[in-house]
Amino acid sequence: MTNTALITGASRGLGLALARSLASAGWNLVLTARGATDLRQAAAELGATALPGDVTDPAHVERLSLAVPELDLLVNNASDLGVTPLPPLAGYPLEAFKLALETNVTAPLALIQATLPALRARRGAIVNITSDAATGAYAGWGGYGAGKAALEQLSNVLAVEEPDLAVWWVDPGEMNTRMLADAVGAEEAAGATDPAKVAAALRDLVGSRPASGRVSLQ
C-alpha cells in the first residue's frame, strides 16, 4: 500500500526538502504552494501532483481535500512571516497581523477539518510546523510567534480530541531558507541548518510514529 502525503508550502525550503525526502521513500505526494512555476517544477521532478493556490482560500482547501480521498500524512508547512523588517508589537500593522494569523493558524485548521475523514480512515498523521518563536520572547518576532503559539495549542488540543491520529507540532529550528533570510538577512541565514537535514529527521519521525506531542529538532 502506497502512503500519500499532502504538503503545503512545498515549492521551496522545508516543504520542498520534505517532499524530496518522502518521494525517495516511495510516497505518493500532493503538493501545494502559491508559487505555481516553482511548484510545478518540483512536482515534475518528484512525480507528484501539483495544485498551486493559497491555503487561505476556502475553495482551494476544498480542492486539496478532494485530491486526497486517501491520506496518511498532512503537513501544514505554509507560513507567513508577516511584515519585514520585523516590527515591534507597538507598531505592528494590524491588518498584516490578521493576514499572518489567517495563514499560520486559520488555514491549517481549515485544511485539518477538510481532510480529517481521510486521515481518520487511514489512522494517519498531522505535522504542524511551528517555531521557537512560539515559546521564546524575541524582539520583532511577536506577530509570527503569536500565530505559531496558537498553532501549537491548536495541535495540543487536536491530539487529545483525535487519539487515533498522530499529531506532532514540530519546531525545526533555524534553517537556511528564504523566509529566514527575509527575517535576519541572507548572510546570517546562510549559517543555519540545511532544510534537507530537517526533512530527513521529519521523515524518521513519521516512520517511527511516536506519541503525539511537541517535537524540537533544534
Side-chain angles (χ1 to χ4, degrees):
M1 181 179 67
T2 301
N3 291 321
T4 297
L6 169 58
I7 306 175
T8 71
S11 63
R12 54 185 172 92
L14 178 59
L16 176 56
L18 181 58
R20 286 174 172 153
S21 185
L22 292 177
S24 71
W27 282 66
N28 175 51
L29 301 175
V30 177
L31 310 178
T32 189
R34 288 178 292 186
T37 300
D38 288 344
L39 184 72
R40 291 193 176 103
Q41 181 177 338
E45 170 197 333
L46 301 174
T49 298
L51 291 176
D54 190 330
V55 290
T56 65
D57 177 4
H60 183 55
V61 169
E62 183 178 7
R63 283 193 296 272
L64 292 172
S65 67
L66 293 174
V68 286
E70 296 181 340
L71 184 61
D72 300 278
L73 175 65
L74 169 63
V75 182
N76 280 308
N77 170 67
S79 297
D80 183 355
L81 181 61
V83 177
T84 54
L86 298 176
L89 288 174
Y92 206 105
L94 294 182
E95 284 305 312
F97 182 72
K98 291 176 185 177
L99 288 173
L101 290 180
E102 186 75 13
T103 300
N104 297 337
V105 186
T106 306
L109 177 57
L111 196 50
I112 289 167
Q113 290 176 343
T115 58
L116 264 178
L119 287 164
R120 287 167 175 160
R122 297 286 281 255
R123 296 176 68 88
I126 297 169
V127 171
N128 290 326
I129 300 299
T130 178
S131 168
D132 62 343
T135 57
Y138 307 118
W141 288 87
Y144 181 77
K148 291 301 185 179
L151 182 61
E152 291 210 352
Q153 179 61 0
L154 183 156
S155 306
N156 196 13
V157 174
L158 183 69
V160 174
E161 294 177 343
E162 300 289 338
D164 290 336
L165 302 182
V167 181
W168 305 296
W169 44 113
V170 178
D171 171 11
E174 287 195 341
M175 297 175 290
N176 183 11
T177 63
R178 189 186 306 174
M179 176 177 283
L180 183 63
D182 288 343
V184 302
E187 184 176 350
E188 183 174 339
T193 302
D194 184 342
K197 293 184 179 180
V198 177
L202 280 176
R203 191 180 82 178
D204 290 345
L205 173 75
V206 172
S208 61
R209 197 180 172 102
S212 295
R214 190 178 197 273
V215 177
S216 178
L217 300 179
Q218 297 191 80

